[in-house]
Structure formats: structure tokens, C-alpha cells
Amino acid sequence: MRLTYSGSHSVKLTTAPDLNQIQPNTIGFANLPRTARPFPNWNRVNTRDMGGDASYHDLTVQFKGRVLNGLHYTSSYKWAKGINNIEDSFTRANSGQFNEEIASRTDNRFNSLYLRGPSGATPFHRFTTDFIWDLPFGKGKKFGDSMNGALDAVVGGWTVSSIMTFQSGGHLTPYYNNRCGSGTNCYGTEKLQVVPGQNADSGPKTDAQWFNKAAFVIPTSSSSLFVGRFGN
């Protein structure tokens, strides 16, 4: 048995804020006078910053051995947790567009924690097992030790192997894109509002609908399309 821990913490990772973004409001970026913008003559001022950070921790338990003559196995369970603030709702890094080469676009440049959450590609739980079995056929084996060389060349020396992995699902964040509810000139998507007391995982889990849609709502205001705040 082997028990392993590994961890890392990264700082000053690349982010891509819009320096012309304004504070959340109930009027809307396009409806405000240009003087409300840090750079009045521009719509967006895309830039690169070093405000990103990420951390990773995992604990692995591994068992390795032989249960029968010629049957070797390795089984491991890993608990892992990665957190960062540089993932947004789209995978832009491979788009080929200069203005979209950094995936950490944020709709809230005023709060570095807005995008902070579990790393999408790091499942919390993963179990992996593999085995290699030298089949007991051929010269020097349990079956066919006396077979001739020609038959041994065909039947002997075979192995069977397999790798199986079971893991929990990836991490998702729900967004809406029918308007920029914060009024800040967002990039097209913003976070939905979490409904207290509703569990997103209690949905019907069918092909048509997997999650409980009642767990999230689009932030609204009775007086304006712009609610003046971000979703959570």
C-alpha cells in the first residue's frame, strides 16, 4: 500500500479584465453617458493582468500486488480538489483569436473572487484499477507445458490487460445570456441566482432535463432590466 499527498499553489496567473467596465448599476452601460466610463472614447479596453490564482490538493491511496500466478493488479483511489479564479463560461484559449486567447475573462473586474470555484476538469473522486494477466498456456505454464514449439508460438505467451476508471462528474456553473443584468457591459454571460432551499442535483435526471432548474433564477428587478448586481 502507498499513501501519497500532493499539492500546489499558483499566484499571478494571467487574467483578462476589461478596464472600461463600470460598477454594477440599474441603468445599463449603453444607457449611461460616456463620461461614466473610465475611457469614454472606447467600448472595451481588453488587457492582461496577473490577478489569477489556483490551488490544488490530492490524497491518493494505492494498492499493488499479485493475487494469482501471473495476475498483477494496481488499484488506487484519489480525492482531489482544485480551486481557481481563472475559468469562465467559455473555453477561449484555443479559439485562435488574439482578443480571446486568455480564458479568464471576467464580468466583474472589481472582485477577483467572482470566478473563484472548483476547477472544472478536476473531479473530487476517482477510482482506477488495472491488471495484467499472463495467461497460463504454453511451455512452462500450467496448461500446455509439453506442447511443441509451433503450437506454443501460437497459443503461448498471451497476456490480457485492462484499465478501468470511475470518477465523479465535472463541475458546472449555470449562466444566462439574454441580457447583461449587472449593467456593466458584460461579455455575454452572467451567473444565475441560487434559490435558497433548492438542490440542483435533485432534478429528474432524464435526457431532456438532468438538473433541478428551480434551483436557479435569472436575477430580476421590478423596475429595470438591469438589477445592479451580479448573480451568485
Side-chain angles (χ1 to χ4, degrees):
M1 186 186 83
R2 183 172 69 179
L3 183 65
T4 306
Y5 164 80
S6 62
S8 65
H9 182 66
S10 304
V11 296
K12 296 184 177 181
L13 302 178
T14 304
T15 58
D18 172 14
L19 295 184
N20 219 24
Q21 183 186 38
I22 60 176
Q23 291 282 358
N25 63 87
T26 58
I27 300 175
F29 181 87
N31 300 325
L32 287 167
R34 285 184 172 271
T35 53
R37 308 176 186 180
F39 300 89
N41 294 328
W42 298 87
N43 183 47
R44 295 194 189 278
V45 181
N46 294 325
T47 185
R48 301 293 180 264
D49 204 343
M50 300 173 66
D53 66 82
S55 62
Y56 175 81
H57 303 276
D58 75 47
L59 187 65
T60 303
V61 181
Q62 183 185 81
F63 297 90
K64 186 175 183 179
R66 185 176 65 181
V67 293
L68 295 172
N69 288 335
L71 178 58
H72 305 267
Y73 74 92
T74 302
S75 298
S76 64
Y77 164 77
K78 174 186 285 188
W79 171 89
K81 187 174 184 180
I83 295 179
N84 70 74
N85 67 344
I86 57 174
E87 291 183 14
D88 64 3
S89 57
F90 297 108
T91 302
R92 297 187 172 101
N94 296 317
S95 68
Q97 301 294 324
F98 171 75
N99 64 330
E100 295 183 347
E101 65 183 0
I102 304 300
S104 51
R105 288 265 181 237
T106 177
D107 286 322
N108 185 1
R109 71 180 179 93
F110 306 103
N111 182 5
S112 63
L113 299 180
Y114 179 67
L115 289 179
R116 184 173 174 81
S119 301
T122 303
F124 285 150
H125 307 281
R126 175 179 290 174
F127 174 78
T128 301
T129 186
D130 64 76
F131 70 85
I132 299 176
W133 184 22
D134 297 323
L135 297 180
F137 304 105
K139 286 186 174 297
K141 301 295 180 68
K142 184 176 182 179
F143 304 101
D145 183 47
S146 61
M147 67 176 56
N148 60 53
L151 183 60
D152 180 62
V154 176
V155 178
W158 287 92
T159 62
V160 175
S161 64
S162 177
I163 299 176
M164 295 176 287
T165 299
F166 306 89
Q167 66 182 38
S168 54
H171 308 292
L172 305 174
T173 300
Y175 292 87
Y176 69 99
N177 60 7
N178 63 339
R179 66 177 184 274
C180 184
S182 63
T184 61
N185 197 27
C186 61
Y187 282 97
T189 61
E190 289 195 312
K191 291 182 181 181
L192 290 169
Q193 188 73 27
V194 175
V195 177
Q198 292 284 348
N199 181 6
D201 290 328
S202 63
K205 293 181 172 55
T206 64
D207 292 341
Q209 179 185 334
W210 189 265
F211 298 103
N212 172 21
K213 295 192 295 185
F216 308 98
V217 295
I218 296 176
T220 58
S221 169
S222 59
S223 59
S224 174
L225 287 174
F226 306 102
V227 296
R229 60 182 172 82
F230 294 99
N232 61 1

